[in-house]
Amino acid sequence: EIVLTQSPGTLSLSPGERATLSCRASQSVSNNYLAWYQQKPGQAPRLLIYGASSRATGIPDRFSGSGSGTDFTLTISRLEPEDFAVYYCQQYSNSLWTFGQGTKVEIK
Amino acid sequence: QVQLMQSGAEVKKPGASVKVSCRASGYTFTGYYMHWVRQAPGQGLEWMGRINPNSGDTNYAQKFLGRVTLTRDTSISTAYMELTSLTSDDTAVYYCAREWNYHYFDYWGQGPLVTVSS
């Protein structure tokens, strides 16, 4: 089973700043089957990025994903008030799906 | 529009079982795998398993093997997750989520809270 480790655990930033979130896999993620989700309190997760770098439908272009193999990054270019939330990475491999433990982006 | 409507919150005693339903609408139920993901209070997301609504074939996370059963009723476009031998560690929100593009989750249910308490 591939283990995903996200860092940092919490990111304290101000609106307008750039956020850089990391997701590291214990083994190479095949074909970059890696996604990022945003979750706000009391809500289900929302798909942001799939295939490591493709934005899902309706996702603003301030969200971008990059990386391959074992190291992946989610970047939010300029934080909007609605972007303060918890972000999870997720991978697929060999009919198993796993999530990282999450990064909370909070208002500084 | 695609919707996944789940059953309501439950309170169960340790050792009991729980069965959560997930009714799909707005798309062809048998055309997309359905997954189950849980989230303990204040914790992260944990994948439990998936079912092919067309064939009934299932995959389960190792952790839940022998304790979780995924089923479906195609006549009412509904998927079910049953978890047995509940302990307090099973207190969590249980989401159903539609698989998209083979590897990702594009629509999620609202996730009922299952509380296990004596």
Side-chain angles (χ1 to χ4, degrees):
Chain A
E1 174 183 308
I2 294 179
V3 176
L4 299 177
T5 302
Q6 292 187 240
S7 61
T10 302
L11 203 49
S12 298
L13 295 168
S14 301
E17 290 194 294
R18 181 185 189 90
T20 303
L21 288 66
S22 173
C23 176
R24 180 161 291 178
S26 59
Q27 307 168 43
S28 183
V29 177
S30 59
N31 300 108
N32 289 338
Y33 291 142
L34 186 113
W36 290 92
Y37 298 82
Q38 176 194 68
Q39 187 179 36
K40 297 180 180 178
Q43 297 184 17
R46 176 173 73 141
L47 178 65
L48 299 176
I49 301 288
Y50 65 95
S53 60
S54 297
R55 272 187 300 277
T57 302
I59 302 303
D61 60 9
R62 64 180 180 273
F63 291 92
S64 63
S66 63
S68 64
T70 60
D71 289 295
F72 299 88
T73 301
L74 174 70
T75 302
I76 310 171
S77 58
R78 287 179 57 86
L79 282 164
E80 296 288 340
E82 61 269 26
D83 299 336
F84 291 92
V86 180
Y87 293 84
Y88 294 94
C89 56
Q90 168 253 313
Q91 69 82 38
Y92 162 82
S93 178
N94 297 324
S95 297
L96 293 175
W97 287 255
T98 56
F99 291 89
Q101 82 279 17
T103 290
K104 181 179 182 180
V105 179
E106 65 176 21
I107 299 177
K108 186 173 181 181
Chain B
Q1 72 283 21
V2 173
Q3 287 190 313
L4 300 177
M5 189 62 64
Q6 296 188 242
S7 47
E10 303 252 20
V11 179
K12 296 291 183 180
K13 297 240 187 276
S17 299
V18 69
K19 191 170 186 177
V20 179
S21 67
C22 172
R23 181 168 55 86
S25 61
Y27 73 99
T28 302
F29 177 64
T30 52
Y32 295 80
Y33 282 82
M34 191 71 78
H35 293 245
W36 291 83
V37 176
R38 77 176 186 179
Q39 186 170 37
Q43 303 302 308
L45 301 166
E46 183 173 34
W47 181 75
M48 300 179 70
R50 74 164 182 176
I51 185 167
N52 179 338
N54 191 40
S55 66
D57 289 344
T58 53
N59 300 99
Y60 297 113
Q62 181 75 25
K63 174 178 179 176
F64 298 101
L65 277 175
R67 214 162 61 88
V68 69
T69 303
L70 303 183
T71 56
R72 91 290 189 216
D73 184 340
T74 58
S75 69
I76 55 172
S77 299
T78 299
Y80 302 92
M81 184 285 300
E82 184 173 24
L83 188 63
T84 61
S85 303
L86 293 170
T87 72
S88 57
D89 290 341
D90 295 315
T91 293
V93 172
Y94 287 79
Y95 293 105
C96 59
R98 189 180 81 162
E99 181 182 304
W100 173 76
N101 204 13
Y102 301 105
H103 312 297
Y104 313 110
F105 311 121
D106 62 345
Y107 286 94
W108 297 65
Q110 80 275 19
L113 175 64
V114 175
T115 302
V116 183
S117 174
S118 55

